[in-house]
Amino acid sequence: MMLSFVDSHTAGEPTRILTSFPSLVGESVAEQAADLASRFPWVYAATLGEPRGNDVWVGGILLPHTNDYDFGVIFYNTTGNLGMCGHGTIGLGVTLQRLGRLGVGTYTMGTPAGLVTVNILGRNDVSLRNVLSYRDSTGVACGSVTGDIAYGGNWFYICQDHGLALSESVWSLEKKGQALMAELAHRGITGADGARIDHVEYVWPGDDTCDARNFVITPSGAFDRSPCGTGTSAKLACLAGDGKLQPGESWRVRGISGECFEASYELAEGGVRPTIRGQAFITAEGALHFDDLDPLRHGLTWA
């Protein structure tokens, strides 16, 4: 078996788009995502994890055009499906340009979290209008820190009183973020309707080049090299709720790689609709091979 792919990175965070995959069952992207999890659970570790990659990667399965959207996608990481992925959407936009399927213009993209608008601005330049984003609760204590719980296509615990320094090693920040995410689960702290909080976002003040810095832990436990599109969306909902950012006002956030996303929002019923802009670059393309004689063809997983 072989699966064709195109790799890119968005502000340092890698995305692997599978351009060939068996047909999935379902009328909606959410139903097709459930079918993926049910019938192809090996795809997560096999296409992204060792020995072909690592838990930093985000993947996407490209879905064909329908009457409801120009193209669809199921984003995932080594542990399972994602509702949405901002950096992955930017990478997908650049990938579809590379494949000659899209030119400069505006398109609709179906995701399990809802409809997203993708604007191809140039060869490596993409913006997206994300799904409805909102803050569910504020000032939620978890051990020695407090944070906001917000949704931006995935669920986030956003913390500013963490007492951590950006000068710490990324591995130290990663370990502490993993511990905080585990503590959230242990205490039963969730998003709306008991939704699992699968991202932790630490935020620091910005400088002359940006409005804020951040560091995000993803569901796999790895840290996001980019400023995280869904995390930025969740943070915009918090800023809007606090009256610290007005609709249409630009807000720049710098991730741990040093690269920025430029963001703004418009008000919507129940929250905000964020717009995120960033750059992505193609890094590789080819085919993944799955040899039936290879005992590790479905990847390696570690407890």
Side-chain angles (χ1 to χ4, degrees), residues 284-300:
E285 54 189 307
L288 303 174
H289 293 247
F290 301 89
D291 190 327
D292 288 342
L293 299 178
D294 180 2
L296 301 179
R297 63 188 178 278
H298 288 167
L300 294 166

mmCIF file with all atom_site columns, all heavy atoms in Angstrom, residues 284-300:
data_model
loop_
_atom_site.group_PDB
_atom_site.id
_atom_site.type_symbol
_atom_site.label_atom_id
_atom_site.label_alt_id
_atom_site.label_comp_id
_atom_site.label_asym_id
_atom_site.label_entity_id
_atom_site.label_seq_id
_atom_site.pdbx_PDB_ins_code
_atom_site.Cartn_x
_atom_site.Cartn_y
_atom_site.Cartn_z
_atom_site.occupancy
_atom_site.B_iso_or_equiv
_atom_site.pdbx_formal_charge
_atom_site.auth_seq_id
_atom_site.auth_comp_id
_atom_site.auth_asym_id
_atom_site.auth_atom_id
_atom_site.pdbx_PDB_model_num
ATOM 1   N N   . ALA A 1 284 ? 8.499  18.779  1.285  1.00 0.00 ? 284 ALA A N   1
ATOM 2   C CA  . ALA A 1 284 ? 8.726  17.471  0.662  1.00 0.00 ? 284 ALA A CA  1
ATOM 3   C C   . ALA A 1 284 ? 7.432  16.998  0.023  1.00 0.00 ? 284 ALA A C   1
ATOM 4   O O   . ALA A 1 284 ? 6.337  17.448  0.383  1.00 0.00 ? 284 ALA A O   1
ATOM 5   C CB  . ALA A 1 284 ? 9.200  16.441  1.687  1.00 0.00 ? 284 ALA A CB  1
ATOM 6   N N   . GLU A 1 285 ? 7.561  16.060  -0.911 1.00 0.00 ? 285 GLU A N   1
ATOM 7   C CA  . GLU A 1 285 ? 6.392  15.372  -1.451 1.00 0.00 ? 285 GLU A CA  1
ATOM 8   C C   . GLU A 1 285 ? 6.816  14.008  -1.956 1.00 0.00 ? 285 GLU A C   1
ATOM 9   O O   . GLU A 1 285 ? 7.981  13.797  -2.305 1.00 0.00 ? 285 GLU A O   1
ATOM 10  C CB  . GLU A 1 285 ? 5.724  16.180  -2.556 1.00 0.00 ? 285 GLU A CB  1
ATOM 11  C CG  . GLU A 1 285 ? 6.606  16.624  -3.693 1.00 0.00 ? 285 GLU A CG  1
ATOM 12  C CD  . GLU A 1 285 ? 5.865  17.591  -4.605 1.00 0.00 ? 285 GLU A CD  1
ATOM 13  O OE1 . GLU A 1 285 ? 4.750  17.247  -5.072 1.00 0.00 ? 285 GLU A OE1 1
ATOM 14  O OE2 . GLU A 1 285 ? 6.386  18.687  -4.847 1.00 0.00 ? 285 GLU A OE2 1
ATOM 15  N N   . GLY A 1 286 ? 5.883  13.068  -1.941 1.00 0.00 ? 286 GLY A N   1
ATOM 16  C CA  . GLY A 1 286 ? 6.226  11.714  -2.353 1.00 0.00 ? 286 GLY A CA  1
ATOM 17  C C   . GLY A 1 286 ? 5.144  10.738  -1.963 1.00 0.00 ? 286 GLY A C   1
ATOM 18  O O   . GLY A 1 286 ? 3.953  11.074  -1.982 1.00 0.00 ? 286 GLY A O   1
ATOM 19  N N   . ALA A 1 287 ? 5.544  9.522   -1.574 1.00 0.00 ? 287 ALA A N   1
ATOM 20  C CA  . ALA A 1 287 ? 4.591  8.478   -1.204 1.00 0.00 ? 287 ALA A CA  1
ATOM 21  C C   . ALA A 1 287 ? 5.100  7.740   0.023  1.00 0.00 ? 287 ALA A C   1
ATOM 22  O O   . ALA A 1 287 ? 6.299  7.453   0.143  1.00 0.00 ? 287 ALA A O   1
ATOM 23  C CB  . ALA A 1 287 ? 4.385  7.492   -2.356 1.00 0.00 ? 287 ALA A CB  1
ATOM 24  N N   . LEU A 1 288 ? 4.192  7.441   0.929  1.00 0.00 ? 288 LEU A N   1
ATOM 25  C CA  . LEU A 1 288 ? 4.488  6.620   2.090  1.00 0.00 ? 288 LEU A CA  1
ATOM 26  C C   . LEU A 1 288 ? 4.229  5.163   1.724  1.00 0.00 ? 288 LEU A C   1
ATOM 27  O O   . LEU A 1 288 ? 3.179  4.839   1.162  1.00 0.00 ? 288 LEU A O   1
ATOM 28  C CB  . LEU A 1 288 ? 3.611  7.013   3.273  1.00 0.00 ? 288 LEU A CB  1
ATOM 29  C CG  . LEU A 1 288 ? 3.689  8.476   3.735  1.00 0.00 ? 288 LEU A CG  1
ATOM 30  C CD1 . LEU A 1 288 ? 2.657  8.733   4.828  1.00 0.00 ? 288 LEU A CD1 1
ATOM 31  C CD2 . LEU A 1 288 ? 5.078  8.828   4.227  1.00 0.00 ? 288 LEU A CD2 1
ATOM 32  N N   . HIS A 1 289 ? 5.174  4.294   2.042  1.00 0.00 ? 289 HIS A N   1
ATOM 33  C CA  . HIS A 1 289 ? 5.063  2.880   1.711  1.00 0.00 ? 289 HIS A CA  1
ATOM 34  C C   . HIS A 1 289 ? 4.718  2.081   2.969  1.00 0.00 ? 289 HIS A C   1
ATOM 35  O O   . HIS A 1 289 ? 5.299  2.298   4.031  1.00 0.00 ? 289 HIS A O   1
ATOM 36  C CB  . HIS A 1 289 ? 6.384  2.362   1.115  1.00 0.00 ? 289 HIS A CB  1
ATOM 37  C CG  . HIS A 1 289 ? 6.694  2.948   -0.220 1.00 0.00 ? 289 HIS A CG  1
ATOM 38  N ND1 . HIS A 1 289 ? 6.696  2.204   -1.374 1.00 0.00 ? 289 HIS A ND1 1
ATOM 39  C CD2 . HIS A 1 289 ? 6.997  4.212   -0.592 1.00 0.00 ? 289 HIS A CD2 1
ATOM 40  C CE1 . HIS A 1 289 ? 7.004  2.989   -2.406 1.00 0.00 ? 289 HIS A CE1 1
ATOM 41  N NE2 . HIS A 1 289 ? 7.188  4.205   -1.943 1.00 0.00 ? 289 HIS A NE2 1
ATOM 42  N N   . PHE A 1 290 ? 3.781  1.133   2.821  1.00 0.00 ? 290 PHE A N   1
ATOM 43  C CA  . PHE A 1 290 ? 3.369  0.268   3.920  1.00 0.00 ? 290 PHE A CA  1
ATOM 44  C C   . PHE A 1 290 ? 3.503  -1.176  3.434  1.00 0.00 ? 290 PHE A C   1
ATOM 45  O O   . PHE A 1 290 ? 2.593  -1.720  2.799  1.00 0.00 ? 290 PHE A O   1
ATOM 46  C CB  . PHE A 1 290 ? 1.930  0.575   4.342  1.00 0.00 ? 290 PHE A CB  1
ATOM 47  C CG  . PHE A 1 290 ? 1.734  2.004   4.783  1.00 0.00 ? 290 PHE A CG  1
ATOM 48  C CD1 . PHE A 1 290 ? 1.396  2.982   3.861  1.00 0.00 ? 290 PHE A CD1 1
ATOM 49  C CD2 . PHE A 1 290 ? 1.894  2.361   6.108  1.00 0.00 ? 290 PHE A CD2 1
ATOM 50  C CE1 . PHE A 1 290 ? 1.223  4.301   4.250  1.00 0.00 ? 290 PHE A CE1 1
ATOM 51  C CE2 . PHE A 1 290 ? 1.730  3.675   6.513  1.00 0.00 ? 290 PHE A CE2 1
ATOM 52  C CZ  . PHE A 1 290 ? 1.397  4.648   5.579  1.00 0.00 ? 290 PHE A CZ  1
ATOM 53  N N   . ASP A 1 291 ? 4.656  -1.757  3.718  1.00 0.00 ? 291 ASP A N   1
ATOM 54  C CA  . ASP A 1 291 ? 4.969  -3.111  3.252  1.00 0.00 ? 291 ASP A CA  1
ATOM 55  C C   . ASP A 1 291 ? 4.298  -4.133  4.170  1.00 0.00 ? 291 ASP A C   1
ATOM 56  O O   . ASP A 1 291 ? 4.483  -4.107  5.391  1.00 0.00 ? 291 ASP A O   1
ATOM 57  C CB  . ASP A 1 291 ? 6.486  -3.301  3.261  1.00 0.00 ? 291 ASP A CB  1
ATOM 58  C CG  . ASP A 1 291 ? 6.938  -4.577  2.573  1.00 0.00 ? 291 ASP A CG  1
ATOM 59  O OD1 . ASP A 1 291 ? 6.208  -5.584  2.634  1.00 0.00 ? 291 ASP A OD1 1
ATOM 60  O OD2 . ASP A 1 291 ? 8.036  -4.575  1.985  1.00 0.00 ? 291 ASP A OD2 1
ATOM 61  N N   . ASP A 1 292 ? 3.513  -5.040  3.596  1.00 0.00 ? 292 ASP A N   1
ATOM 62  C CA  . ASP A 1 292 ? 2.819  -6.051  4.395  1.00 0.00 ? 292 ASP A CA  1
ATOM 63  C C   . ASP A 1 292 ? 3.771  -6.929  5.198  1.00 0.00 ? 292 ASP A C   1
ATOM 64  O O   . ASP A 1 292 ? 3.372  -7.533  6.196  1.00 0.00 ? 292 ASP A O   1
ATOM 65  C CB  . ASP A 1 292 ? 1.963  -6.946  3.485  1.00 0.00 ? 292 ASP A CB  1
ATOM 66  C CG  . ASP A 1 292 ? 0.738  -6.222  2.951  1.00 0.00 ? 292 ASP A CG  1
ATOM 67  O OD1 . ASP A 1 292 ? 0.366  -5.185  3.538  1.00 0.00 ? 292 ASP A OD1 1
ATOM 68  O OD2 . ASP A 1 292 ? 0.165  -6.686  1.949  1.00 0.00 ? 292 ASP A OD2 1
ATOM 69  N N   . LEU A 1 293 ? 5.036  -7.006  4.776  1.00 0.00 ? 293 LEU A N   1
ATOM 70  C CA  . LEU A 1 293 ? 6.019  -7.824  5.490  1.00 0.00 ? 293 LEU A CA  1
ATOM 71  C C   . LEU A 1 293 ? 6.689  -7.066  6.640  1.00 0.00 ? 293 LEU A C   1
ATOM 72  O O   . LEU A 1 293 ? 7.417  -7.671  7.428  1.00 0.00 ? 293 LEU A O   1
ATOM 73  C CB  . LEU A 1 293 ? 7.082  -8.335  4.513  1.00 0.00 ? 293 LEU A CB  1
ATOM 74  C CG  . LEU A 1 293 ? 6.587  -9.226  3.375  1.00 0.00 ? 293 LEU A CG  1
ATOM 75  C CD1 . LEU A 1 293 ? 7.749  -9.623  2.465  1.00 0.00 ? 293 LEU A CD1 1
ATOM 76  C CD2 . LEU A 1 293 ? 5.889  -10.462 3.924  1.00 0.00 ? 293 LEU A CD2 1
ATOM 77  N N   . ASP A 1 294 ? 6.423  -5.767  6.718  1.00 0.00 ? 294 ASP A N   1
ATOM 78  C CA  . ASP A 1 294 ? 7.052  -4.931  7.746  1.00 0.00 ? 294 ASP A CA  1
ATOM 79  C C   . ASP A 1 294 ? 6.233  -5.010  9.030  1.00 0.00 ? 294 ASP A C   1
ATOM 80  O O   . ASP A 1 294 ? 5.092  -4.536  9.076  1.00 0.00 ? 294 ASP A O   1
ATOM 81  C CB  . ASP A 1 294 ? 7.133  -3.492  7.247  1.00 0.00 ? 294 ASP A CB  1
ATOM 82  C CG  . ASP A 1 294 ? 7.775  -2.550  8.257  1.00 0.00 ? 294 ASP A CG  1
ATOM 83  O OD1 . ASP A 1 294 ? 8.202  -3.014  9.341  1.00 0.00 ? 294 ASP A OD1 1
ATOM 84  O OD2 . ASP A 1 294 ? 7.849  -1.346  7.957  1.00 0.00 ? 294 ASP A OD2 1
ATOM 85  N N   . PRO A 1 295 ? 6.760  -5.569  10.110 1.00 0.00 ? 295 PRO A N   1
ATOM 86  C CA  . PRO A 1 295 ? 5.983  -5.677  11.352 1.00 0.00 ? 295 PRO A CA  1
ATOM 87  C C   . PRO A 1 295 ? 5.701  -4.322  11.992 1.00 0.00 ? 295 PRO A C   1
ATOM 88  O O   . PRO A 1 295 ? 4.815  -4.209  12.845 1.00 0.00 ? 295 PRO A O   1
ATOM 89  C CB  . PRO A 1 295 ? 6.863  -6.548  12.251 1.00 0.00 ? 295 PRO A CB  1
ATOM 90  C CG  . PRO A 1 295 ? 8.251  -6.338  11.741 1.00 0.00 ? 295 PRO A CG  1
ATOM 91  C CD  . PRO A 1 295 ? 8.119  -6.162  10.252 1.00 0.00 ? 295 PRO A CD  1
ATOM 92  N N   . LEU A 1 296 ? 6.446  -3.280  11.581 1.00 0.00 ? 296 LEU A N   1
ATOM 93  C CA  . LEU A 1 296 ? 6.261  -1.949  12.154 1.00 0.00 ? 296 LEU A CA  1
ATOM 94  C C   . LEU A 1 296 ? 5.641  -0.989  11.144 1.00 0.00 ? 296 LEU A C   1
ATOM 95  O O   . LEU A 1 296 ? 5.768  0.236   11.283 1.00 0.00 ? 296 LEU A O   1
ATOM 96  C CB  . LEU A 1 296 ? 7.606  -1.399  12.647 1.00 0.00 ? 296 LEU A CB  1
ATOM 97  C CG  . LEU A 1 296 ? 8.316  -2.244  13.704 1.00 0.00 ? 296 LEU A CG  1
ATOM 98  C CD1 . LEU A 1 296 ? 9.644  -1.613  14.084 1.00 0.00 ? 296 LEU A CD1 1
ATOM 99  C CD2 . LEU A 1 296 ? 7.439  -2.430  14.937 1.00 0.00 ? 296 LEU A CD2 1
ATOM 100 N N   . ARG A 1 297 ? 4.943  -1.537  10.142 1.00 0.00 ? 297 ARG A N   1
ATOM 101 C CA  . ARG A 1 297 ? 4.401  -0.685  9.081  1.00 0.00 ? 297 ARG A CA  1
ATOM 102 C C   . ARG A 1 297 ? 3.359  0.302   9.607  1.00 0.00 ? 297 ARG A C   1
ATOM 103 O O   . ARG A 1 297 ? 3.125  1.341   8.992  1.00 0.00 ? 297 ARG A O   1
ATOM 104 C CB  . ARG A 1 297 ? 3.784  -1.530  7.970  1.00 0.00 ? 297 ARG A CB  1
ATOM 105 C CG  . ARG A 1 297 ? 2.578  -2.379  8.374  1.00 0.00 ? 297 ARG A CG  1
ATOM 106 C CD  . ARG A 1 297 ? 2.169  -3.319  7.244  1.00 0.00 ? 297 ARG A CD  1
ATOM 107 N NE  . ARG A 1 297 ? 1.037  -4.185  7.605  1.00 0.00 ? 297 ARG A NE  1
ATOM 108 C CZ  . ARG A 1 297 ? 1.183  -5.305  8.308  1.00 0.00 ? 297 ARG A CZ  1
ATOM 109 N NH1 . ARG A 1 297 ? 2.374  -5.671  8.760  1.00 0.00 ? 297 ARG A NH1 1
ATOM 110 N NH2 . ARG A 1 297 ? 0.127  -6.055  8.571  1.00 0.00 ? 297 ARG A NH2 1
ATOM 111 N N   . HIS A 1 298 ? 2.722  -0.037  10.727 1.00 0.00 ? 298 HIS A N   1
ATOM 112 C CA  . HIS A 1 298 ? 1.713  0.856   11.302 1.00 0.00 ? 298 HIS A CA  1
ATOM 113 C C   . HIS A 1 298 ? 2.282  1.776   12.384 1.00 0.00 ? 298 HIS A C   1
ATOM 114 O O   . HIS A 1 298 ? 1.539  2.397   13.130 1.00 0.00 ? 298 HIS A O   1
ATOM 115 C CB  . HIS A 1 298 ? 0.533  0.059   11.846 1.00 0.00 ? 298 HIS A CB  1
ATOM 116 C CG  . HIS A 1 298 ? -0.319 -0.517  10.749 1.00 0.00 ? 298 HIS A CG  1
ATOM 117 N ND1 . HIS A 1 298 ? -1.277 -1.480  10.977 1.00 0.00 ? 298 HIS A ND1 1
ATOM 118 C CD2 . HIS A 1 298 ? -0.368 -0.253  9.420  1.00 0.00 ? 298 HIS A CD2 1
ATOM 119 C CE1 . HIS A 1 298 ? -1.861 -1.784  9.842  1.00 0.00 ? 298 HIS A CE1 1
ATOM 120 N NE2 . HIS A 1 298 ? -1.331 -1.061  8.876  1.00 0.00 ? 298 HIS A NE2 1
ATOM 121 N N   . GLY A 1 299 ? 3.607  1.867   12.434 1.00 0.00 ? 299 GLY A N   1
ATOM 122 C CA  . GLY A 1 299 ? 4.252  2.828   13.289 1.00 0.00 ? 299 GLY A CA  1
ATOM 123 C C   . GLY A 1 299 ? 4.557  2.330   14.690 1.00 0.00 ? 299 GLY A C   1
ATOM 124 O O   . GLY A 1 299 ? 4.126  1.249   15.100 1.00 0.00 ? 299 GLY A O   1
ATOM 125 N N   . LEU A 1 300 ? 5.290  3.152   15.396 1.00 0.00 ? 300 LEU A N   1
ATOM 126 C CA  . LEU A 1 300 ? 5.673  2.873   16.774 1.00 0.00 ? 300 LEU A CA  1
ATOM 127 C C   . LEU A 1 300 ? 4.930  3.815   17.711 1.00 0.00 ? 300 LEU A C   1
ATOM 128 O O   . LEU A 1 300 ? 4.811  5.012   17.438 1.00 0.00 ? 300 LEU A O   1
ATOM 129 C CB  . LEU A 1 300 ? 7.182  3.055   16.953 1.00 0.00 ? 300 LEU A CB  1
ATOM 130 C CG  . LEU A 1 300 ? 8.099  2.074   16.216 1.00 0.00 ? 300 LEU A CG  1
ATOM 131 C CD1 . LEU A 1 300 ? 9.520  2.593   16.209 1.00 0.00 ? 300 LEU A CD1 1
ATOM 132 C CD2 . LEU A 1 300 ? 8.035  0.713   16.888 1.00 0.00 ? 300 LEU A CD2 1
#
